[in-house]
Amino acid sequence: MAVPKRKQSRSNTHARRSQWKAAPVQLVKTVENGKVTYSLPHRAKVVEDSAGTALYMEYKGRKVADV
């Protein structure tokens, strides 16, 4: 394991840590039955009936799992 030869200054430490930023969540906009929905990319989504009961999960238009 690499061991530092000397102490790193406080300003250098803060400058290094300042580069770690939180990235905003990337959402995909889809239109289903006239409703605009946003979802995470590359995730299976739950298909519901008109009453809101979960029926199954689909990915890229194919059924992949029962709920």
Side-chain angles (χ1 to χ4, degrees):
M1 185 168 145
V3 178
K5 295 229 180 237
R6 61 183 71 88
K7 181 178 177 178
Q8 190 172 36
S9 71
R10 186 175 291 172
S11 63
N12 282 345
T13 300
H14 289 284
R16 184 187 71 250
R17 289 182 182 160
S18 70
Q19 301 307 313
W20 289 88
K21 300 173 197 67
V25 177
Q26 300 295 320
L27 297 176
V28 176
K29 178 180 173 182
T30 57
V31 178
E32 300 171 2
N33 302 330
K35 277 177 51 179
V36 176
T37 59
Y38 294 92
S39 61
L40 293 171
H42 302 291
R43 301 290 195 287
K45 66 177 182 172
V46 177
V47 176
E48 300 174 339
D49 61 1
S50 60
T53 307
L55 300 174
Y56 57 90
M57 296 181 78
E58 75 174 9
Y59 180 72
K60 292 188 178 179
R62 294 182 307 218
K63 180 179 173 182
V64 293
D66 291 323
V67 178

